[in-house]
């Protein structure tokens, strides 16, 4: 247990690539065109760093969306060189999201493997000499049923191989150095925060938190003050602080410098998001969460979404009158959260999952990977004020003992990172639910007259009454079960439509039907006495399973067509309907 705790702290500190730019730690961007070869059908285990390159491949990027490799399954082999102007006592290779399984080599020596799809990962290199070095990687995108895999073939989102948001090298200059500073909110009324210094031994990346006893701390470029740290932590108030909220996304900067240990900077926000009395509270005021689920993908680049494509999506989401986005169904990138900090959106982030079953949730490796991802996600996003909710395992079998047990572990793991964020998961199990005892709020996914109560959408009246009746019934189940204190929200609702397809009486799959459907479900959510938030399924049409998966008939062209915008972000009628309901005066 002690070793697991030590490795976990090391790893957790390791992946904190976040909004900390370190004057001490220097970063070298390794994005660009890498040597490449594709071993069709081959696994990670068969990969070697000295492969014969037959092509080049951009990083970041998803290789299975590139002609010649489109939708092929196997292992992509990558290699590139870099040159160091001077030797360093230690470094880490940072991978900002990858799929689906990865192995890394530096100068022919294996430095790490991972199955943590989408996670922000770092791998120790040890001391590096001046001169040329070679980094090689293998990325396996094969799909197969195995209970110890994080990405399952039936997930309703496309499986893709590649580096999603880039690779960088973090060069440590000093034998013991401050790598990052985490800023935890302690009191939004007084702007009180706690700083945690992530201090590291260069040689092996282990934590040396208590090495720094005193440091110069300055906020927003003000004159520094001398602060004493205990075990790498110290509490203080941010001078002239301004609260962060979607309406006023004020951000602050802190710089920490310690003689002989380097210096770091971080961007953060002062805010508090809590649950209680049946409501969500932001900075002491009740807040209704109105937003969308968003897959971090686009048609051409898959999960290798660019800053501009993310910003465009966020503008479209804000343009709906939304204050909230759920990162369905995997951890968001650091870049995405930074943009949400800037634009002002509350973010529900979650660990990867989708309708996971007891066989997976009782598999020791699956459990360990989920817990590791939970710690990484929670800790690596502490400095992002937009990230207000930590969640996990969308629609897992929460009526099972295995589900209840894993959920309890995940809730504890996410709480243990002391982020101050409420924790829960999106359920679709209602009455027989077993796993919501420890969560801070309830979120249920419901699709009346679409996934359930088939045949009740025949008239406008029957659709409206069925949708409203079912939502009320399910909300009541949870209110009766968990009492008045736990807020209840709708984690997903929606239906499918084809962009540009219309029908005067709203035939299913027409834009009119989808707009009518969401007008009913979102209007219900806004008017209901218990419901404290709604996340529409989904922001835009997205790539889903390809020639396979659990329901090939309802995924035309391999896409999930429930978007308010189509896959090219063209607006559907449903977006107009939702915008009308999300306008500020609505609730
Ligand atoms: C589920 C699931 C979503 C998507 C949706 C749908 O509730 O959580 O990921 O699959 O249904 O489109 O049916």
């Amino acid at each position: 247990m002690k070793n697991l705790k030590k490795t976990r702290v090391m790893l957790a500190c390791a992946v904190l690539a976040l909004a900390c730019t370190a004057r001490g730690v220097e970063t070298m961007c390794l994005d660009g065109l890498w040597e490449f070869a594709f071993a069709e059908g081959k696994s990670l285990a068969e990969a070697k760093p000295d492969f014969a390159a037959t092509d080049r491949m951009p990083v970041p990027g998803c290789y299975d969306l590139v002609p010649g490799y489109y939708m092929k399954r196997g292992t992509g082999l990558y290699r590139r060189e870099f040159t160091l102007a001077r030797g360093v006592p230690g470094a880490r290779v940072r991978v900002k999201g990858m799929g689906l399984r990865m192995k890394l080599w530096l100068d022919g020596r294996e430095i790490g493997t991972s199955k943590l799809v989408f996670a922000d990962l770092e791998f120790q290199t040890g001391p590096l000499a001046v001169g040329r070095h070679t980094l090689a990687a293998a990325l396996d995108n094969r799909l197969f049923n195995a209970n110890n895999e994080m990405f399952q073939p039936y997930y309703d989102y496309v499986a893709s191989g590649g580096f999603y948001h880039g690779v960088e090298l973090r060069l440590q200059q000093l034998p013991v150095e401050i790598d990052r500073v985490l800023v935890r909110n302690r009191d939004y009324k007084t702007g009180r925060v706690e700083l945690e210094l992530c201090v590291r031994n260069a040689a092996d990346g282990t934590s040396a938190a208590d090495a720094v006893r005193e440091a110069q701390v300055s906020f927003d470029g003000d004159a520094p003050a001398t602060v004493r740290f205990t075990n790498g932590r110290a509490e203080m108030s941010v001078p002239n602080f301004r609260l962060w909220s979607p309406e006023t996304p004020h951000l602050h900067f802190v710089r920490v410098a310690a003689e002989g240990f380097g210096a770091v900077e971080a961007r953060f926000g002062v805010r508090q998001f809590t649950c209680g009395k049946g409501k969500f509270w932001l900075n002491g005021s009740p807040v209704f969460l109105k937003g969308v689920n968003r897959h971090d993908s686009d048609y051409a680049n898959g999960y290798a979404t660019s800053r501009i494509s993310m910003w465009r999506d966020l503008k479209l989401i804000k343009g709906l009158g939304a204050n909230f986005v759920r990162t369905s169904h995997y951890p968001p990138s650091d870049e995405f959260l930074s943009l949400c900090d800037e634009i002002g959106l509350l973010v529900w982030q979650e660990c990867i999952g989708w309708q996971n079953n007891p066989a997976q949730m009782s598999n020791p490796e699956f459990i360990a990977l989920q817990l590791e991802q939970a710690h990484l996600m929670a800790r690596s996003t502490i400095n992002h004020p937009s990230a207000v909710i930590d969640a996990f395992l969308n629609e897992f079998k929460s009526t099972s003992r295995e589900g209840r047990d894993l959920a309890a572990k995940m809730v504890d793991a996410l709480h243990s990172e002391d982020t101050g964020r409420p924790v829960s998961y999106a359920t679709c199990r209602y009455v027989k639910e077993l796993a919501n005892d420890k969560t801070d709020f309830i979120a249920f996914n419901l699709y009346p007259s679409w996934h359930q109560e088939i045949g009740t959408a025949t008239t406008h009246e029957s659709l409206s009454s069925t949708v409203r009746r079912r939502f009320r019934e399910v909300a009541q189940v949870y209110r009766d079960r968990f009492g008045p204190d736990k807020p209840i929200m709708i984690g997903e609702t929606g239906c499918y439509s084809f962009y540009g397809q219309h029908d005067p009486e709203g035939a299913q799959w027409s834009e009119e039907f989808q707009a009518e459907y969401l007008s009913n479900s979102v209007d219900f959510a806004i008017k209901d006495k218990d419901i404290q938030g709604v996340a529409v399924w989904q922001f835009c049409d997205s790539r889903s399973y390809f020639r396979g998966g659990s329901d090939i008939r309802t995924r035309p062209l391999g896409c999930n067509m429930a978007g308010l915008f189509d896959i090219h972000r063209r607006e559907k009628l449903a977006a107009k309907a939702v915008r009308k309901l999300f306008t500020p005066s609505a609730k």
Side-chain angles (χ1 to χ4, degrees), residues 325-392:
V325 59
R326 176 184 167 203
T327 67
S328 52
H329 297 296
Y330 35 80
S333 68
D334 183 44
E335 177 90 68
F336 181 74
L337 289 175
S338 295
L339 297 175
C340 290
D341 294 342
E342 298 263 3
I343 205 168
L345 269 176
L346 300 163
V347 177
W348 157 321
Q349 56 180 14
E350 61 188 46
C351 295
I352 192 168
W354 198 85
Q355 299 186 357
N356 298 90
N357 60 40
Q360 292 151 10
M361 295 188 290
S362 55
N363 176 286
E365 188 184 350
F366 183 86
I367 294 171
L369 288 168
Q370 282 291 341
L371 291 171
E372 190 184 338
Q373 182 159 85
H375 286 290
L376 297 180
M377 180 184 81
R379 191 169 170 79
S380 61
T381 54
I382 283 175
N383 289 355
H384 289 294
S386 59
V388 293
I389 286 174
D390 287 332
F392 53 89

Side-chain angles (χ1 to χ4, degrees), residues 32-59 61-64 69 72-80 99-105 134-142 161-163:
L33 210 51
W34 293 41
E35 290 179 270
F36 184 78
F38 181 63
E40 185 153 8
K42 295 276 183 278
S43 73
L44 205 58
E46 301 159 79
K48 297 264 176 303
D50 55 356
F51 65 90
T54 54
D55 198 347
R56 272 73 49 70
M57 188 59 68
V59 171
C62 295
Y63 62 78
D64 45 26
Y69 313 107
K72 287 201 164 43
R73 299 285 160 193
T75 293
L77 301 160
Y78 291 74
R79 186 172 50 226
R80 69 154 292 161
L100 303 174
R101 297 163 210 94
M102 176 184 70
K103 190 177 280 187
L104 279 180
W105 298 269
T134 304
L135 181 63
L139 288 165
D140 175 344
N141 73 351
R142 291 166 313 123
F163 290 110

Side-chain angles (χ1 to χ4, degrees), residues 434-450:
L434 276 183
N436 249 311
D437 297 351
K438 296 183 81 167
T439 58
D440 300 304
F441 66 93
I442 304 292
F444 65 88
N445 300 349
L446 189 64
Y447 297 77
S449 302
W450 188 256

